[in-house]
Amino acid sequence: MKRIRVLVVDDSVVVRRILRDVLAEDSAFEVAGVAANGKIALSMVEQVSPDVVTLDVEMPDMDGIEVLRHLRVSSPSLPVVMFSTLTQRGAEATLDALALGARDYVTKPANIGSVSVGMQRIREELLPKLKAICGGKAAVVPSASSFTPRPTSVSTMADRTGPLDIVVIGCSTGGPNALSEILPQFPADFPVPVAVVQHMPPTFTKFLAERLNASCALQVLEAGVDEKLQPGTIWIAPGDYHVSVYSQGTAMRLRRHQAPPENSCRPAVDVLFRTAAMTYGGRALAVILTGMGQDGLRGAQELKSVNATVIAQDEASSVVWGMPGFVVQAGLADRVVPLGQMAQEIMRRVVASHKSFAVHG
């Protein structure tokens, strides 16, 4: 089996050593080269022909963003995973990198002085992403027979009794760019609220919301403690917080909270989808976009049990066909849609449901 050749680019001696040691432990990888700065990295790409590059965001002389710009020209198909810090500057630079075509990112361990802690973080966070990105999009998707439904706690009595009243979206790897393509297409009079779970740490989600707000006709906000759901607004789940929807009298609300992680994630798509099923029943439209892992699968199951609609992104347009792939293989997707058609598909279904209900309701 061919090993994944990784070019490590980082100006920190400690980080380079940790990355090299962790990669060497796993037989799936081969360290193709190590570069201490961006200029060396660019000269090494042609020499060592890596399958993927791990690229430090903040480096002197030529930072990771500048290196990435050069790589998009010289090696446009070469996957790049950014190595970022959990800081405002790191978050902004990472979002810039994703917009420029980086496939994903990993945040550096806060206590980089502890080699053992740093190595474990990289084993858990970086290596699975490298495998998913380089191992083929379908490699992380199970066969349909491997999905075992669990009994759902949601009543099937909550079938469609009106138009679609909320859009809930879940995504991870590749999600920021997917959201940047879909959400700006929604018009200012889009008739329902939108709630989004994108797997991201704190600070990152704040800047993601701000960037989307600058390009969308709808207002985009990072979800607060408790929000009244209303048309004209898109809420992004904050890093390290789940978001749940619930009813309060005749009002529908969104609250953030720190219940235990699900699928090793907080925020988790399953939490949003599950509470949308309980609160909206068949009047929810769920969208599962590109991402690694299976977060969203159980929530999609509960949504389908109440006759809600579930749409999944197709394999060809996904950076990693993990999250949508699990949903599709389990037979839970009403439609599988390329990213370029997703916004129109969502708008068509929402608008058609409101027109139909106005005529027949």
Side-chain angles (χ1 to χ4, degrees):
M1 182 178 175
K2 182 181 181 295
R3 292 193 290 176
I4 299 168
R5 291 172 52 78
V6 184
L7 174 61
V8 174
V9 185
D10 203 292
D11 68 328
S12 166
V13 175
V14 174
V15 173
R16 291 199 303 272
R17 185 175 77 246
I18 290 174
L19 284 168
R20 193 168 198 164
D21 290 348
V22 171
L23 290 166
E25 292 174 356
D26 193 320
S27 60
F29 298 101
E30 175 186 348
V31 179
V34 177
N37 62 54
K39 291 180 180 179
I40 295 172
L42 291 173
S43 66
M44 289 183 70
V45 167
E46 190 172 342
Q47 299 169 16
V48 304
S49 300
D51 296 311
V52 63
V53 176
T54 65
L55 180 57
D56 188 15
V57 168
E58 297 181 34
M59 296 184 292
D61 299 326
M62 181 182 285
D63 65 15
I65 300 300
E66 189 175 351
V67 175
L68 182 61
R69 286 196 179 98
H70 283 282
L71 288 175
R72 291 308 87 192
V73 174
S74 63
S75 306
S77 62
L78 177 63
V80 175
V81 176
M82 306 304 293
F83 219 52
S84 176
T85 54
L86 274 171
T87 63
Q88 175 176 330
R89 181 177 172 186
E92 292 183 290
T94 300
L95 290 170
D96 286 339
L98 294 174
L100 285 169
R103 297 290 180 88
D104 207 351
Y105 67 93
V106 174
T107 56
K108 290 185 178 182
N111 185 16
I112 202 67
S114 172
V115 174
S116 61
V117 172
M119 291 180 73
Q120 186 59 29
R121 275 280 308 277
I122 289 166
R123 286 188 199 100
E124 294 173 354
E125 296 187 23
L126 177 63
L127 300 194
K129 291 187 176 186
L130 295 178
K131 290 175 181 177
I133 289 168
C134 298
K137 294 171 184 171
V140 293
V141 181
S143 65
S145 62
S146 68
F147 172 68
T148 304
R150 70 177 184 183
T152 177
S153 60
V154 181
S155 169
T156 56
M157 296 299 291
D159 283 350
R160 179 80 58 79
T161 56
L164 294 171
D165 280 343
I166 191 171
V167 174
V168 288
I169 300 175
C171 46
S172 185
T173 305
N177 285 352
L179 294 171
S180 295
E181 179 163 341
I182 294 168
L183 299 181
Q185 295 186 56
F186 292 175
D189 61 352
F190 192 67
V192 303
V194 180
V196 178
V197 166
Q198 161 69 51
H199 294 158
M200 271 188 158
T203 306
F204 284 61
T205 48
K206 174 179 180 288
F207 287 107
L208 175 64
E210 289 178 356
R211 289 184 180 220
L212 288 170
N213 188 58
S215 62
C216 290
L218 301 175
Q219 184 179 32
V220 184
L221 299 171
E222 189 180 46
V225 175
D226 196 283
E227 306 274 9
K228 183 178 179 181
L229 286 166
Q230 53 194 7
T233 307
I234 300 166
W235 283 273
I236 307 291
D240 202 33
Y241 285 86
H242 295 306
V243 288
S244 297
V245 295
Y246 70 100
S247 60
Q248 187 177 65
T250 58
M252 297 296 191
R253 304 191 70 86
L254 177 80
R255 71 180 182 93
R256 72 181 192 196
H257 57 93
Q258 289 188 303
E262 296 190 20
N263 309 304
S264 301
C265 302
R266 191 167 64 195
V269 179
D270 273 344
V271 174
L272 174 61
F273 281 14
R274 181 172 64 245
T275 58
M278 290 187 289
T279 305
Y280 285 89
R283 294 177 292 113
L285 171 61
V287 181
I288 190 84
L289 301 175
T290 174
M292 198 175 78
Q294 63 177 17
D295 188 26
L297 174 62
R298 301 298 180 186
Q301 178 197 358
E302 300 204 18
L303 282 158
K304 290 307 299 175
S305 78
V306 295
N307 200 35
T309 303
V310 177
I311 304 173
Q313 185 175 347
D314 74 345
E315 181 178 358
S317 66
S318 296
V319 174
V320 177
W321 206 54
M323 288 165 55
F326 274 96
V327 169
V328 172
Q329 294 292 344
L332 299 170
D334 292 282
R335 182 116 190 254
V336 182
V337 183
L339 177 61
Q341 299 174 22
M342 187 64 78
Q344 291 299 319
E345 180 71 15
I346 295 168
M347 290 188 289
R348 181 184 67 79
R349 287 177 179 267
V350 170
V351 171
S353 78
H354 281 252
K355 287 182 178 177
S356 175
F357 188 68
V359 172
H360 303 291

